């Protein structure tokens, strides 16, 4: 690890939680340079919903490279982009009854969030953006302004005068949609009529906080009534993580703008898009531009993985796995002597522990026995389980049994510590 300490910035983070040098990966397994193998229940923070190096995606990518397919083309029309747009429309938009134009933004999620905020402000001529407690939307200026966790902000580089935070669903012991409505309708609330609200239907970094379908519908209705645009940031929870391709499908809402990234390419290749209702596509040509908007290699793998969604058995299989994991985790928790509450939607599972220290200890103990799980939540107190949607059941069982091992280790250490104190 010395080379990283010598040459890489202090800003590095995940390599501190998982301090080995990784070398190869396949499916849900990552192997380090010593040949030690780990089960990956982190999946690149939701960027690897189809696992590592999926064979069908790898095959498509290799044959595209082999034929000297265009790799970089700015936003020029390419065969790969044409195939992606057609497949996306046929396998995702049309079956969901959605009519969206697609904008390719810079490659990261935060690039796409910036574009969404710009577009909302341009369309409405208004500046204020409403964001929600515990929301995470990225760390560039505009996106950081609507990201809630103070750990990411520093007064020297954060300007957030046009963003206002409203409690997310479940944050307060009352219906926070009522509170939002009051702020919007009461002209003495101090809130300028917002250009947009931006939200995650399930907050990933914020702790697997799940908005109810009814709350999402209320927010949609309030936005409609007041001409506020609704942006759903589906960067982490989209592309199948919650069991449907989009996280908002169960709520039956249609956001005005959707942001997708992470698992869109399916292979870990960076690509981000905005989806916007056609009448909202008010950009002038080149008004929001950039060198790496849409990467052709990502188009190729995205086209390939989107085909999975045309197969109803794929969706059914993801739901069956979700039920299996939920039931197994409940059984595990009943056997472990630690206060943990559990919530999930689809293949996004959150185990809320009593503190960031406990969650970190569990993540470390899990790594010791060969399982990669990360923490999230305001204090890092929630363990986030993000297995690949494509992971076989036996692999899931193996990963969950490693999780149980780690939980017992930390429970035993906690009991020992308490005895030491008393
Ligand atoms: N929005 C959400 C919901 C995210 O989870 C993330 C990243 O975790 C982002 C935005 C930022 O994406 P990126 O890290 O690719 O800039």
């Amino acid at each position: 690890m010395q080379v990283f300490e010598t040459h890489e910035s202090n800003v590095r983070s995940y390599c501190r939680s998982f301090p080995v040098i990784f070398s190869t990966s396949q499916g849900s397994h990552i192997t380090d340079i010593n040949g030690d193998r780990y089960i990956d229940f982190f999946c690149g923070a939701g960027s690897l919903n189809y696992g590592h190096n999926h064979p069908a995606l790898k095959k498509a990518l290799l044959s595209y490279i082999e034929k000297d397919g265009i790799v970089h083309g700015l936003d020029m029309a390419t065969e790969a982009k044409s195939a992606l747009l057609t497949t996306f429309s046929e396998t995702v938009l049309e079956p969901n009854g959605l009519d969206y134009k697609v904008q390719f933004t810079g490659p990261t999620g935060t690039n796409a969030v910036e574009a969404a905020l710009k577009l909302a402000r341009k369309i409405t001529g208004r500046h204020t953006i409403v964001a929600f407690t515990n929301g995470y939307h990225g760390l560039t200026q505009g996106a950081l302004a609507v990201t809630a966790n103070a750990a990411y902000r520093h007064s020297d580089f954060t300007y957030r005068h046009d963003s206002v935070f409203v409690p997310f669903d479940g944050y307060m012991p009352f219906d926070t949609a009522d509170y939002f409505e009051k702020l919007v309708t009461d002209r003495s609330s101090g809130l300028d009529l917002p250009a947009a609200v931006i939200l995650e239907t399930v907050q990933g970094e914020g702790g697997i906080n799940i908005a109810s379908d009814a709350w999402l519908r209320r927010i949609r209705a309030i936005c409609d009534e007041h001409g506020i645009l609704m942006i759903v940031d589906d960067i982490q929870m989209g592309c199948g993580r919650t069991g449907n391709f989009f996280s908002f499908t169960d709520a039956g809402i249609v956001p005005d703008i959707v942001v997708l990234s992470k698992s869109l390419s399916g292979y870990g290749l960076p690509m981000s898009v905005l989806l916007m209702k056609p009448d909202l596509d008010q950009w002038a040509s080149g008004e929001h531009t950039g060198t790496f908007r849409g990467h052709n290699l990502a188009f190729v793998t995205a086209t390939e993985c989107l085909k999975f969604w045309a197969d109803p058995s794929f969706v059914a299989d993801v739901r069956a796995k979700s039920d299996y994991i939920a039931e197994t985790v409940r059984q595990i928790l009943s056997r472990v002597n630690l206060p943990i509450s559990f919530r999930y939607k689809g293949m996004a599972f959150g185990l809320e522990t009593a503190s960031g220290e406990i969650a970190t200890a569990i993540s470390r103990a899990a790594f010791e026995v060969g399982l990669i799980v990360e923490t999230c939540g305001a204090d890092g107190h929630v363990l986030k389980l993000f297995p690949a949607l494509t992971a076989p059941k036996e692999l899931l069982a193996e990963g969950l049994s490693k999780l149980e091992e780690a939980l017992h280790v930390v429970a035993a250490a906690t009991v020992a510590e308490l005895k030491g104190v008393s």
Side-chain angles (χ1 to χ4, degrees):
M1 297 301 278
Q2 190 55 45
V3 64
F4 304 99
E5 268 151 48
T6 309
H7 296 293
E8 196 181 353
S9 160
N10 287 330
V11 82
R12 65 197 191 280
S13 68
Y14 294 117
C15 58
R16 299 180 198 267
S17 309
F18 308 109
V20 296
I21 302 180
F22 293 110
S23 169
T24 57
S25 56
Q26 174 49 236
S28 289
H29 286 116
I30 315 191
T31 307
D32 71 16
I33 51 169
N34 298 320
D36 291 328
R37 215 160 71 136
Y38 300 84
I39 291 180
D40 186 2
F41 274 11
F42 183 31
C43 279
S47 307
L48 293 163
N49 283 357
Y50 313 95
H52 294 259
N53 295 316
H54 191 289
L57 279 57
K58 183 162 81 177
K59 191 163 166 243
L61 187 58
L62 288 175
S63 71
Y64 187 79
I65 291 173
E66 191 58 43
K67 74 165 191 182
D68 282 337
I70 299 273
V71 172
H72 183 266
L74 295 162
D75 73 354
M76 288 188 221
T78 63
E79 197 183 6
K81 191 199 273 192
S82 159
L84 170 62
L85 287 169
T86 307
T87 307
F88 189 66
S89 181
E90 288 175 1
T91 59
V92 173
L93 295 182
E94 285 165 25
N96 282 293
L98 295 169
D99 183 14
Y100 285 127
K101 296 282 287 290
V102 181
Q103 177 188 355
F104 295 96
T105 68
T108 68
T110 195
N111 289 152
V113 168
E114 296 288 349
L117 300 179
K118 264 173 81 171
L119 183 62
R121 287 176 167 135
K122 175 180 157 74
I123 291 168
T124 59
R126 300 192 291 261
H127 276 263
T128 302
I129 305 283
V130 163
F132 291 88
T133 50
N134 281 312
Y136 182 90
H137 301 289
L139 299 185
T140 51
Q141 286 295 344
L144 181 58
V146 289
T147 287
N149 194 330
Y152 295 113
R153 294 195 308 274
H154 188 291
S155 57
D156 292 349
F157 54 60
T158 307
Y159 307 93
R160 56 189 319 164
H161 39 272
D162 288 333
S163 51
V164 173
F165 283 83
V166 168
F168 191 66
D169 192 21
Y171 188 80
M172 297 294 289
F174 55 79
D175 187 342
T176 62
D178 285 344
Y179 177 69
F180 174 52
E181 186 167 36
K182 178 79 178 166
L183 288 179
V184 172
T185 48
D186 177 4
R187 288 298 78 221
S188 196
S189 68
L191 177 74
D192 292 328
L193 188 64
V197 301
I198 182 163
L199 59 86
E200 301 155 90
T201 65
V202 177
Q203 296 181 323
E205 296 309 296
I208 314 296
N209 307 315
I210 305 166
S212 71
D213 292 344
W215 186 85
L216 290 168
R217 284 195 285 270
R218 281 286 310 286
I219 300 293
R220 176 66 279 185
I222 297 164
C223 288
D224 281 342
E225 197 174 326
H226 298 278
I228 302 165
L229 296 173
M230 182 181 199
I231 304 170
V232 168
D233 178 345
D234 239 2
I235 287 174
Q236 187 159 154
M237 292 298 159
C239 305
R241 182 47 64 187
T242 64
N244 296 307
F245 186 84
F246 292 110
S247 73
F248 51 82
T249 302
D250 287 343
I253 57 164
V254 178
D256 298 298
I257 298 173
V258 181
V259 194
L260 288 177
S261 179
K262 288 199 189 270
S263 274
L264 184 57
S265 79
Y267 205 73
L269 293 169
M271 167 167 59
S272 302
V273 298
L274 284 196
L275 308 178
M276 65 199 100
K277 289 182 175 170
D279 61 311
L280 300 181
D281 185 17
Q282 294 178 20
W283 292 116
S285 173
E287 194 177 8
H288 185 82
T289 185
T291 308
F292 291 107
R293 284 172 306 124
H295 197 276
N296 282 268
L297 300 183
F299 295 158
V300 171
T301 52
T303 303
E304 211 52 38
C305 68
L306 288 172
K307 291 179 190 162
F308 299 161
W309 293 93
D311 176 2
S313 71
F314 178 76
V315 179
D317 187 48
V318 171
R319 298 211 177 131
K321 281 177 199 160
S322 161
D323 292 343
Y324 166 73
I325 295 172
E327 184 45 36
T328 311
V329 169
R330 281 196 198 101
Q331 286 170 15
I332 290 173
L333 292 181
S334 73
R335 295 191 288 265
V336 171
N337 189 17
L338 276 175
I340 292 179
S341 63
F342 173 54
R343 49 187 177 259
Y344 75 103
K345 183 162 171 73
M347 292 286 270
F349 304 88
L351 282 73
E352 182 167 344
T353 70
S355 69
E357 288 74 31
I358 290 182
T360 303
I362 297 168
S363 169
R364 288 208 177 120
F367 191 60
E368 287 290 310
V369 294
L371 175 70
I372 298 181
V373 279
E374 243 303 29
T375 60
C376 61
D379 305 312
H381 61 301
V382 180
L383 279 169
K384 178 162 78 170
L385 263 51
F386 262 31
L389 311 185
T390 47
K393 205 169 155 193
E394 305 68 51
L395 179 288
L396 295 173
E398 194 188 339
L400 290 170
S401 105
K402 287 178 186 293
L403 176 70
E404 177 162 9
E405 251 184 271
L407 289 166
H408 284 302
V409 167
V410 174
T414 311
V415 170
E417 200 177 303
L418 288 176
K419 278 191 183 144
V421 168
S422 61

